[in-house]
Amino acid sequence: MDQYDDDENHYMPQEDDWDRDLLLDPAWEKQQRKTFTAWCNSHLRKAGTQIDNIEEDFRDGLKLMLLLEVISGERLAKPERGKMRVHKISNVNKALDFITRKGVKLVSIGAEEIVDGNAKMTLGMIWTIILRFAIQDISVEETSAKEGLLLWCQRKTAPYKNVNIQNFHISWKDGLGFCALIHRHRPELIDYGKLRKDDPMTNLNTAFDVAEKYLDIPKMLDAEDIVGTARPDEKAIMTYVSSFYHAFSGAQKAETAANRICKVLAVNQENEQLMEDYEKLASDLLEWIRRTIPWLENRAPENTMTAMQQKLEDFRDYRRLHKPPKVQEKCQLEINFNTLQTKLRLSNRPAFMPSEGKMVSDIANSWGSLEGAEKGYEEWLLNEIRRLERLDHLAEKFRQKAAIHEAWTEGKEEMLHNRDFETATLSEIKALLKKHEAFESDLAAHQDRVEQIAAIAQELNELDYYDSPSVNGRCQRICDQWDALGALTQKRSEALQRTEKLLETIDQLYLEFAKRAAPFNNWMEGAMEDLQDTFIVHTIEEIQGLSTAHEQFKATLPEADKERQAILGIHNEITKIVQTYHVNMAGINPYTTINPQEINGKWDKVRQLVPQRDQALIEEHARQQNNERLRRQFANQANVIGPWIQTKMEEIGRISIEMHGTLEDQLTHLRQYEKSIVNYKPKIDQLEGDHQLIQEALIFDNKHTNYTMEHIRVGWEQLLTTIARTINEIENQVLTRDAKGISQEQLNEFRASFNHFDRDHSGTLGAEEFKACLISLGFDIANDPQGEAEFARIMSIVDPNRLGLVNFQSFIDFMSRETADTDTADQVVASFKVLAGDKNYILADELRRELPPDQAEYCIARMAPYAGPDGVPGALDYMSFSTALYGESDL
């Protein structure tokens, strides 16, 4: 069977499935005859004529030549007007020669067969003409002719449900493919959602009728033929579909609006940059928070005060150096997000949805976790410092008391083990007994010290002192030794009492010396211990109390000195008696080991420690006075700055709801206000410096003010955030006013209505308040199901997050949407059609001439993935432009 297609070197590959014997199939022949006739008439009517019978009306060659002239736009040779067969053959040959010159190789098609009315040859010739002049020039993404037309159909119908174009026969039987092509380009002509795949007759007739009525595409097919044929004729389908391609591709006529293209491109560029900036800033801020929170949650304790103070210094650096820039970044992030959403709403673009986990609410939650960790870390640091300070004090006190006790107990066990009473005389026994009684008195006096040592050790254990094992071991040795001393004392006392009956002589002077010297010696040891005891105070009242107690102690020194003189007088009297009466043991006091030299030595030590104690108290008093000065200095500033911040917050709130002047006046006023607030920053920094001095001095309370530095910091950060957010809201209102064409009087009316119903001055309206406000502005919202539905629709616009609150910006956006028009995507696309002129494409150089350089290049880059027609370098067709600019879902 002959083939009518040219070879692949000309315009398309030959089709293996074109078998002329198939033309004998009545169904296919009928479809081709109707389709080709309608196609020829769609062009011949431009010349004021038509054909009724395709094999008869072309026999003389006249209408065939006229058809070629119309579809090619060229003049053919002058036809023969005679009625003879030779004239008809001449005309048909002129037409076939013209087709051959156009690069089409005609196989087995002769003029005689056309003149004789051969239906098969006539249909084959018309199909060759259709391929050359209707299909060959179709080019889509580096494919052409049949493949290009098929790819074009697939691209246009891809978004439609139940449409899968794979060929030019059975893929079109249900009619949805034709309807999808029409709806894609002229959605107002067909309600695609009502079409059903199981009703092909309705679908096909709808598409054919709409195409004929509104698109000027003649009805080339019958729905009954397509539905009733197992495989519709491919040539008929291709011919009809190519008419859709040319109808839609040739519809680009002009109405100019190059400035609208500029506007869309500029807005797109700016919005994309804002989106990129938001994503980067959000990622950086969340990463910083993620790294910082584990550091703030680290509660690993340190064993030394130096290590904990270093941690406190690191925390101060974080507060002073690292956190403030992040506070500014967080504020800027919120401002950028609000500005971007406003611009997207004004451009009728979808709202910007940040990446997962990067919403403003996500950042706020992370920031709240950071501040919670920060507060806990600071409290832990201060508590740890107090604990270590207390531990160091207790440990030093324990060592001093333990050392004094161990010095006192040195040799006591050996003394109690002594069996000297066994060979002593009666007077010696009496002396030993009295001496032992004096020792018991001394032992009882040391009982308090042992109990203090045990109590201090217990407290160190409760406070988790790092060297508790060493303290516990030493305390246990002291307690064990004390128990042993008690037992030995009791044992020796019983032994002396048993021999007391045999010993009746006692030297009263030695006894009196021992009794008075022992408590005096104990008093001196206690005084030395107290004078050397370390102290910790936090207020000037505490140091004054210590100073008062010390002065009272010094007042007792004269009486103590008299007691010392009296005790030394007893010893002198004993010495005198021994020298006078040559007493056997005059040089040894049998009742005590204390001697005058020891008393004098300890007395001199006490006198030496008193001025040292005086100096320590004076220095501490000076330090507490300086601390009190720091407290007052901080309090004086804090008591001014705290109310100032509160006043400014209230003033900003009043400014944001009052209507003084235009939005620009309010914006100027707020920026001046912001400048005055920023100029106040040195006072905050000065207060930070005073606060650092207070922390370095380890001052933990301040009775002169209720403001802490944390209160001031939070208030200052809220003040900066509030003024920045308020300025941003006014700026967004200016953008809304300018974009929607709202007058200042309208804005004032909107603000007055909003403020009237904002009775709590919170800056937001509840649902009922908002409904009352709308009614006051003339909205018809009845208390019936229809009114409730309308109000629910409005609330979904102004309160998409369903919080039950409406802020002024959402209110303005809604009102502007109700009162003003915005440019539509169709208007902007129409502006492209003007630049294209009579062509179905526009050159890149034409865009560069009409648009600013940066926006032209941006537009060309956006269209790069969507190539224009082949053979036209740098060309961008209509569909490439609209798809690149708005995406297929917006067309």
Side-chain angles (χ1 to χ4, degrees), residues 11 129 183 512 558 566 629 643 692:
Y11 60 94
I129 294 174
H183 184 267
E512 185 179 0
R629 179 186 62 79
Q692 180 176 346

Side-chain angles (χ1 to χ4, degrees), residues 48 58 66 69 93 144 172 191 199 201 219 225 309 369 389 427 454 467 515 564 578 614 679 726 746 801 803 823 825:
F58 283 142
L66 182 61
E69 287 182 344
N93 276 327
S144 59
W172 302 86
D191 188 351
D199 190 8
M201 291 293 294
K219 190 173 182 181
D225 295 340
Q309 287 176 339
S369 301
E389 187 178 41
S427 59
D467 199 21
K515 287 183 177 181
R564 182 182 67 86
V578 169
D614 288 336
N679 291 337
T726 304
Q746 287 176 306
N801 294 325
L803 301 177
D823 290 340

Side-chain angles (χ1 to χ4, degrees), residues 42-62:
S42 69
H43 293 286
L44 287 173
R45 67 183 177 182
K46 298 175 184 178
T49 186
Q50 67 177 23
I51 62 172
D52 297 318
N53 189 313
I54 195 168
E55 63 264 31
E56 290 294 329
D57 292 348
F58 283 142
R59 291 179 62 185
D60 62 1
L62 294 177

Side-chain angles (χ1 to χ4, degrees), residues 112 138 147 212 232 254 288 326 339 356-357 493 502 623 782 859:
E112 293 79 5
I138 296 175
E147 291 78 11
E212 184 175 31
W288 177 81
K326 299 304 178 182
T339 301
E356 184 177 357
S493 177
L502 302 174
R623 190 175 77 85
C859 181

Side-chain angles (χ1 to χ4, degrees), residues 390-520:
R390 174 67 176 164
L391 285 175
D392 289 345
H393 171 66
L394 290 175
E396 181 60 25
K397 192 171 185 177
F398 175 85
R399 286 190 290 270
Q400 288 185 3
K401 289 185 177 293
I404 293 172
H405 177 78
E406 288 166 349
W408 179 83
T409 58
E410 186 176 0
K412 293 299 189 291
E413 290 187 32
E414 291 79 6
M415 180 195 74
L416 293 173
H417 280 103
N418 194 357
R419 310 291 295 179
D420 55 345
F421 58 86
E422 293 179 347
T423 58
T425 63
L426 180 60
S427 59
E428 291 172 343
I429 291 300
K430 291 288 186 180
L432 290 175
L433 185 58
K434 298 301 180 183
K435 180 179 179 181
H436 187 69
E437 290 175 355
F439 173 78
E440 287 180 328
S441 178
D442 198 11
L443 185 68
H446 281 79
Q447 177 68 33
D448 289 341
R449 181 177 290 116
V450 174
E451 292 174 355
Q452 291 174 5
I453 291 172
I456 292 173
Q458 178 64 27
E459 188 171 1
L460 287 172
N461 279 285
E462 292 173 354
L463 293 177
D464 197 23
Y465 182 54
Y466 76 98
D467 199 21
S468 291
S470 175
V471 171
N472 292 337
R474 190 172 186 182
C475 180
Q476 188 61 46
R477 290 193 297 273
I478 290 173
C479 291
D480 292 342
Q481 186 187 39
W482 184 255
D483 293 338
L485 287 176
L488 291 173
T489 299
Q490 181 65 25
K491 183 178 179 180
R492 183 173 175 82
S493 177
E494 291 172 356
L496 291 174
Q497 288 175 4
R498 284 194 300 269
T499 56
E500 184 182 13
K501 297 177 182 179
L502 302 174
L503 305 174
E504 297 176 352
T505 306
I506 187 170
D507 190 341
Q508 292 298 326
L509 290 175
Y510 273 140
L511 181 59
E512 185 179 0
F513 177 89
K515 287 183 177 181
R516 297 183 68 173
F520 184 74

Side-chain angles (χ1 to χ4, degrees), residues 344-355:
L344 289 174
R345 284 197 301 272
L346 295 177
S347 302
N348 286 333
R349 306 301 296 164
F352 171 56
M353 290 298 294
S355 303

